[in-house]
Amino acid sequence: MRQPHAGLQDYLFTSESVSEGHPDKICDQISDAVLDHFLTLDPHSRVAAETVVTTDYIAVIGETRGPAEITPAVIEDIARKRVKEIGYEQPGFHWRDARVDVRLHNQSTDIAMGVDSAEGKDEGAGDQGIMFGYASRETDVLMPAAIHYSHQILKSLAEARHSGALPALGPDSKSQVTLEYREGRPVRATSVVVSTQHDESVSQEAVREMVRPHVLDVLPEGWMCPENAFYVNPTGRFVIGGPVGDAGLTGRKIIVDTYGGSCPHGGGAFSGKDPSKVDRSAAYAARYAAKNIVAAGYAERCTIQLSYAIGVSKPLSLYVNTHGTGTVPETALVGALDRVMDFSPRGIVERLTLRRPIYARTASYGHFGRAPDSDGGFSWEVTDLVDDLRGALG
């Protein structure tokens, strides 16, 4: 798949983000909170939990294999707690009052047979598919700039809302940042869009001035867009928000979750899936590999693709593209990765220590470009593969 800016040097590029209170992100967070609970009690649990929300309603569906004490009542409590933490206490969607249905059943024995390890057989991939990872020197966290700044604007607004500094704002919000690139480098924002839920008593101009400092603080100095391209609640009103205004589903924000469109996407979502599902774990491994290649100085930009077949332990393919910025041949990078990284599902899980309850925190403001946590969260952001790559490449 050709990138939208491949081969170009001067262009505009746009990415968007959505807040933790966006209906789809509510679902992602509930699904991952359910996953975390299973992994807390049994690190080898199998979980594929999907969530749907709409007015006064939450449903958690899917398949699991894990501790019997995780009953529907436990799942319901997890869902309500997560909605409360996000901040929904509004007519039409209140953490206490919404109806919660739980329809989780046992994992298919056919899937389990292909995935489980056995005598003479390593753990297999949980499904077929293709996964991509990407890294770029555009930001200090080696992420594309437009998605990074889009996330940070909404994260800053959410922190102010939770702290009580912006009580007039609601949980639901979206952002969109368009950057101008010159000679392949971002130099300024040409437009910024922020839509945020707010109290009925607050004017559009007041919301605009609430949002402005958060945009200025996030963008590099001198990057702010022209005033006539700074759009805040461009419809003029955003009082009805969250699942009252729009239904939500797990896995509908895969571009927001990843790189904002700066690289291809294999199509698989992450949230609610345990690490035997390569949709998630292999996407993390591809980011880990791409980030370490860039951190080691072998490229300014790097895209990696992995592919798998259900029940098969080894990847079917490994692709590396440095977009003309590499300092060594891409074939050499493929060979080096093969030597220093085991891309089987088991190898990825062990390398990145993925059988931990570390997933609910990933379900808003992006899975990538985040600081690694001391408990193993965001382990795929660590650059501890740099020395191994340098050794393999001589």
Side-chain angles (χ1 to χ4, degrees):
M1 182 185 297
R2 182 181 174 86
Q3 288 185 219
H5 51 278
L8 298 176
Q9 292 297 303
D10 300 325
Y11 54 90
L12 301 181
F13 191 76
T14 304
S15 294
E16 70 159 349
S17 180
V18 298
S19 73
E20 65 204 57
H22 185 279
D24 295 330
K25 279 287 139 199
I26 298 170
C27 296
D28 287 343
Q29 290 168 89
I30 292 172
S31 293
D32 271 340
V34 169
L35 170 62
D36 279 355
H37 192 70
F38 271 89
L39 294 177
T40 297
L41 299 184
D42 179 1
H44 293 275
S45 293
R46 295 283 169 74
V47 179
E50 312 285 348
T51 303
V52 59
V53 297
T54 187
T55 305
D56 286 328
Y57 185 76
I58 303 166
V60 183
I61 63 174
E63 59 178 27
T64 64
R65 189 178 76 192
E69 60 262 42
I70 304 180
T71 62
V74 171
I75 301 298
E76 177 178 342
D77 185 64
I78 290 169
R80 292 191 189 281
K81 181 180 178 181
R82 198 65 189 179
V83 172
K84 182 180 182 181
E85 290 170 347
I86 293 168
Y88 274 106
E89 297 183 344
Q90 65 185 39
F93 197 72
H94 193 295
W95 65 269
R96 185 188 58 237
D97 301 331
R99 174 183 167 186
V100 180
D101 282 339
V102 178
R103 296 289 186 270
L104 293 172
H105 59 82
N106 290 332
Q107 183 188 46
S108 161
T109 55
D110 290 348
I111 293 175
M113 179 175 64
V115 176
D116 290 347
S117 59
E119 186 176 351
K121 176 186 176 298
D122 198 0
E123 182 177 324
D127 202 352
Q128 72 176 47
I130 56 176
M131 299 85 204
F132 287 91
Y134 183 75
S136 168
R137 288 200 176 275
E138 290 180 20
T139 61
D140 59 357
V141 293
L142 304 187
M143 282 289 287
I147 186 66
H148 177 66
Y149 298 135
S150 294
H151 285 323
Q152 293 305 306
I153 289 168
L154 294 185
K155 192 174 182 182
S156 180
L157 286 168
E159 289 169 353
R161 176 175 61 84
H162 284 299
S163 73
L166 290 178
L169 297 189
D172 194 0
S173 60
K174 303 177 75 171
S175 64
Q176 184 172 287
V177 175
T178 300
L179 299 180
E180 178 183 354
Y181 283 71
R182 295 179 189 165
E183 298 182 355
R185 292 285 187 178
V187 296
R188 70 182 182 100
T190 60
S191 67
V192 174
V193 184
V194 178
S195 295
T196 179
Q197 188 182 8
H198 59 88
D199 290 349
E200 191 165 12
S201 61
V202 182
S203 69
Q204 183 180 19
E205 187 56 35
V207 174
R208 182 186 186 88
E209 295 313 311
M210 292 176 192
V211 169
R212 184 188 302 275
H214 296 272
V215 177
L216 290 170
D217 285 348
V218 164
L219 293 177
E221 186 175 357
W223 278 39
M224 184 61 177
C225 65
E227 188 65 18
N228 63 0
F230 178 41
Y231 302 98
V232 176
N233 287 1
T235 65
R237 174 185 165 94
F238 189 2
V239 173
I240 300 171
V244 180
D246 191 11
L249 292 168
T250 298
R252 281 206 300 194
K253 288 293 177 283
I254 57 177
I255 301 304
V256 170
D257 284 341
T258 54
Y259 308 100
S262 288
C263 83
H265 195 291
F270 302 157
S271 291
K273 297 178 181 178
D274 74 80
S276 73
K277 280 73 171 173
V278 285
D279 277 346
R280 181 168 221 159
S281 57
Y284 290 170
R287 162 65 177 174
Y288 174 67
K291 184 174 182 180
N292 275 269
I293 285 172
V294 173
Y298 292 120
E300 293 289 306
R301 291 197 292 132
C302 181
T303 299
I304 288 179
Q305 184 205 60
L306 294 163
S307 68
Y308 294 84
I310 188 169
V312 179
S313 62
K314 295 295 183 182
L316 305 183
S317 64
L318 168 61
Y319 162 85
V320 178
N321 185 354
T322 56
H323 308 278
T325 69
T327 60
V328 298
E330 286 148 343
T331 52
L333 291 171
V334 171
L337 286 173
D338 268 335
R339 289 193 291 276
V340 304
M341 179 78 184
D342 179 359
F343 287 102
S344 70
R346 176 190 51 77
I348 293 169
V349 167
E350 292 179 356
R351 177 85 193 203
L352 300 179
T353 60
L354 296 180
R355 290 194 183 99
R356 306 187 189 196
I358 57 174
Y359 297 104
R361 72 194 74 169
T362 70
S364 52
Y365 312 115
H367 292 246
F368 307 124
R370 310 281 290 274
D373 294 323
S374 60
D375 66 351
F378 301 104
S379 58
W380 47 92
E381 294 298 316
V382 175
T383 53
D384 60 356
L385 200 63
V386 166
D387 289 342
D388 290 342
L389 286 170
R390 288 173 176 164
L393 289 163

